[in-house]
Amino acid sequence: MGAREPLTASAGGALPSFGAECRETITLALPLISGQVSQMLISVVDTVMVGQLGVTELGAATLTNTVLAVPYVLSIGLLSSISVRVSQARGAGRPGDAADALRHGTWLALLFALGVMAMAVAGIPLLSRLGQPPEVVASTPTYLVIVAGSFIPAMLSMAWKNHADALNKPWPAFWILFSGVLLNMFLNWLWIYGRWGFPALGLEGAGWATLAARCATAVAMFVWMTRSTAVRLWMPSRWWTRTTTASFATLLAIGFPASLQLLTEVSAFACASLLIGTLGAVPLAAHQVAITCAATTFMVPLGVAMAITVRVGEIVGAHEYARLRRVLASGWLYALVFMALSMTVFLLCGEWIARQFVTDPGVVKIAAGLLIVAGFFQLVDGLQVVCAGALRGINDVRVPAWVALLAYWGLALPGGAYLGLSAGWGAAGVWIGLAGGLTVAAAALTVRAWRRFDTPFEATS
């Protein structure tokens, strides 16, 4: 356990101005935002292109995304520990510690991905027990297994990207990930619809396209890391040497509670999807359209939060704690401004947006209503993720995990189930319950972050 140290000024005496902190935050955040949006575009592209096949296929894609959303978000929290440890090592000038975090983080990513694939295969017989439309369940298994298999290259890419981000070298990783999105789109066009002599594989074609694009991305990421002179100093000299329990423990001490925090939110949304699925294939398809839009805009504050995590980690490593509040405020500024813009777009253009995904009038009507609800929780959603990212940078992950558990499972999901099913408000009622949980989480995390950044804290755990 690290020694308690009071918040102090920077080593140079005067603190950077708020404007300077904002510029540094956005400089790091832009490629991270772009990278997150580009990854989300895979889901958007799949939703649009699969949506042209029909409501059943879109429902099967929704069910698959719902099942795999939980392990995917778990992986984000788990592997965020690489960013924290590497950024702290960079701030302290310890390349060996950064290389050790990357090597152990890579093994952690691989083992986790293999576990996800095994559970996806084992869980196929349970799909029929989730209360979803029979035709949707029948169309899901093959697509589910293929997409679960793509977790292996996806998790490796995420681990290596987090390392590059923490070294403040995010742009090469972004261009690699964005190229993967373009490749996925092209392969979708070939394999879903059967272009250039390929068979029309439909929903399964989208799965194979995702797998191929993620494999290509992982290979390109590894080649770049091993050849980049800027990153080479911070890379392991040997990948196959013996791992240590202590190194895994330092990653899990941050990653596991962070995963639980993210899990509580995403699992609540996943359960909300299952609740909406009991209302029929049309509400489920509308939910998929709306959640895809909301999740896409969420990638912007998520990218800001990732930048704040890295910046806070560097400040902790360099013992410049007095800068923390200004860095936190810079994250709030960017997240709130963007989410206010996206809220306005959802409120004014919800029906038009829904029509870009599907043509079914029933799906469009429900999706447009859900986007109105999403517009209102955009602001608090952006605020809570930035605060969580800032707290993660100082290794404060346990209390935020409890906050998320109480907000989402103690309030959001029960409230959504009552409003949506018992009170008869349908899919919109479920979403209103989720919005209430997001508001509570945002308020609690905002207060905690502001207070923690004005008092002594444990620099390491």
Side-chain angles (χ1 to χ4, degrees):
M1 191 74 71
R4 288 186 179 272
E5 300 190 42
L7 296 175
T8 60
S10 303
L15 295 175
S17 67
F18 179 64
E21 297 289 13
C22 286
R23 287 191 294 274
E24 191 167 344
T25 294
I26 197 62
T27 298
L28 177 58
L30 279 176
L32 303 186
I33 292 169
S34 301
Q36 292 303 308
V37 171
S38 68
Q39 286 302 290
M40 192 62 209
L41 284 176
I42 292 180
S43 177
V44 174
V45 168
D46 285 350
T47 298
V48 171
M49 300 182 81
V50 170
Q52 307 307 309
L53 299 175
V55 171
T56 297
E57 288 80 1
L58 184 56
T62 302
L63 181 56
T64 295
N65 291 337
T66 298
V67 170
L68 294 180
V70 172
Y72 184 77
V73 171
L74 269 175
S75 70
I76 293 176
L78 188 66
L79 299 180
S80 70
S81 58
I82 298 174
S83 293
V84 174
R85 289 302 185 190
V86 172
S87 63
Q88 290 176 352
R90 181 171 179 257
R94 297 193 299 265
D97 290 354
D100 183 75
L102 173 62
R103 188 169 69 88
H104 284 81
T106 298
W107 282 109
L108 194 62
L110 180 59
L111 292 173
F112 182 85
L114 290 172
V116 169
M117 186 174 181
M119 287 189 294
V121 173
I124 289 176
L126 303 178
L127 292 176
S128 60
R129 302 183 183 181
L130 297 178
Q132 306 304 292
E135 67 275 16
V136 170
V137 173
S139 302
T140 298
T142 302
Y143 180 71
L144 172 63
V145 172
I146 297 171
V147 176
S150 76
F151 266 54
I152 296 174
M155 294 304 97
L156 292 175
S157 295
M158 185 184 300
W160 299 336
K161 177 183 179 298
N162 287 349
H163 180 70
D165 294 343
L167 296 177
N168 207 6
K169 302 295 180 184
W171 279 114
F174 160 71
W175 288 115
I176 291 171
L177 293 173
F178 183 69
S179 298
V181 172
L182 297 180
L183 177 61
N184 180 78
M185 186 184 305
F186 176 65
L187 294 178
N188 269 349
W189 182 74
L190 291 181
W191 296 342
I192 291 177
Y193 308 123
R195 310 293 187 185
W196 288 5
F198 286 95
L201 300 177
L203 179 63
E204 293 179 14
W208 287 116
T210 298
L211 175 60
R214 286 178 168 175
C215 286
T217 297
V219 171
M221 189 78 72
F222 186 77
V223 170
W224 167 72
M225 283 199 319
T226 54
R227 294 187 178 183
S228 170
T229 56
V231 177
R232 190 175 303 155
L233 175 65
W234 305 86
M235 293 282 290
S237 57
R238 295 182 180 180
W239 289 87
W240 300 100
T241 56
R242 180 178 298 180
T243 58
T244 65
T245 302
S247 293
F248 280 123
T250 58
L251 292 173
L252 291 173
I254 299 172
F256 184 68
S259 293
L260 292 181
Q261 178 189 347
L262 294 171
L263 175 63
T264 55
E265 179 180 356
V266 173
S267 60
F269 274 88
C271 287
S273 297
L274 298 178
L275 289 175
I276 292 171
T278 64
L279 301 174
V282 170
L284 183 61
H287 169 77
Q288 173 64 12
V289 171
I291 199 66
T292 298
C293 295
T296 301
T297 58
F298 178 72
M299 293 300 104
V300 175
L302 178 59
V304 173
M306 294 168 65
I308 295 297
T309 299
V310 171
R311 295 208 60 212
V312 168
E314 285 189 54
I315 289 170
V316 169
H319 305 292
E320 298 179 343
Y321 304 135
R323 299 173 56 193
L324 290 175
R325 273 196 169 183
R326 291 183 180 182
V327 172
L328 174 63
S330 72
W332 287 349
L333 174 64
Y334 292 119
L336 290 176
V337 168
F338 177 81
M339 292 311 250
L341 292 174
S342 66
M343 177 181 70
T344 302
V345 172
F346 283 175
L347 293 178
L348 297 179
C349 308
E351 184 173 338
W352 179 86
I353 293 171
R355 291 189 184 279
Q356 308 313 302
F357 288 86
V358 291
T359 56
D360 185 283
V363 175
V364 169
K365 181 179 179 180
I366 296 175
L370 296 182
L371 286 173
I372 292 176
V373 181
F376 284 107
F377 72 60
Q378 290 284 290
L379 289 175
V380 291
D381 204 10
L383 192 62
Q384 65 87 19
V385 73
V386 169
C387 291
L391 290 169
R392 195 173 301 130
I394 62 171
N395 300 350
D396 186 351
V397 288
R398 293 183 180 87
V399 171
W402 282 107
V403 168
L405 179 64
L406 294 174
Y408 301 126
W409 283 89
L411 176 63
L413 202 57
Y418 172 76
L419 294 175
L421 304 184
S422 300
W425 291 14
V430 176
W431 274 54
I432 290 171
L434 294 173
L438 283 169
T439 302
V440 171
L445 292 177
T446 298
V447 171
R448 181 166 181 83
W450 193 250
R451 288 179 174 176
R452 288 285 281 141
F453 284 4
D454 193 40
T455 57
F457 61 86
E458 296 290 347
T460 59
S461 60

